[in-house]
Amino acid sequence: MAAPRVESVQVKQTSVLLIFPDLLDNDSHLAIITLLLQGQHQILKQNTLTLQQKDLVWFEQAKDRPFFNDFSQFITSRPILAVLVEKIDCILQLLNFVGPWDPVEAKKTAANSLRAKYGVDVVHCGTFCSTSVEQASLMRSRCFPSPVQVGTKVLSTSGNQSHMLDVTTVMRFVFPPHQEHADSAGRLDILALYGPTHELHS
């Protein structure tokens, strides 16, 4: 399947990454969030929702493919995770990060992409992202109906307080420099479940 053609631009953009049900089941979404942060994507917001039939217009590039009915049933059967991200040239950068639709092709041509790492087949391809600025706007409105502050910070909430975090602070919390095996400490789980814990003490 031909990848969408997107021009590279040197301006900050937002895009929406969808993480499908099977990757939520096995907690692979936590590793994907880590990869996003390591790739200098600013995570503005996350939301869990169940896609509806009207949302299938986002997957226009696959609608005539024989697997589309099975794919549609799968992604609308259970909740998915939507992640709003921001970066310079974000539409193209995130498309490359996600990789070709078919995980078999992705493993051959984009071995470091999300679909190469986490996809199984064309139905269970793991992830999807906005393919244009216009689509990103539509997906953002649907996946994040409440107002979202779009800037250079990560928006998160804890209790009744709102916190603005930069990526450096998040990475320092998740991977503290004094801890040798930071990924075993469960800090990303804490951040994903509860947001920033006061001042993100390390």
Side-chain angles (χ1 to χ4, degrees), residues 120-165:
V120 177
D121 52 41
V122 290
V123 173
H124 307 89
C125 57
T127 56
F128 179 84
C129 68
S130 309
T131 59
S132 68
V133 172
E134 295 76 17
Q135 187 185 60
S137 179
L138 293 172
M139 293 176 67
R140 184 170 66 241
S141 298
R142 165 72 175 98
C143 297
F144 309 98
S146 59
V148 175
Q149 180 172 347
V150 178
T152 60
K153 304 292 185 178
V154 178
L155 179 62
S156 184
T157 58
S158 179
N160 295 322
Q161 295 182 328
S162 294
H163 301 262
M164 296 299 292
L165 303 175

Side-chain angles (χ1 to χ4, degrees), residues 11 33 48 60 70 92 116 125 139 170:
V11 296
I33 296 298
T48 302
E60 186 82 5
D70 289 339
L92 180 59
C125 57
M139 293 176 67
V170 173

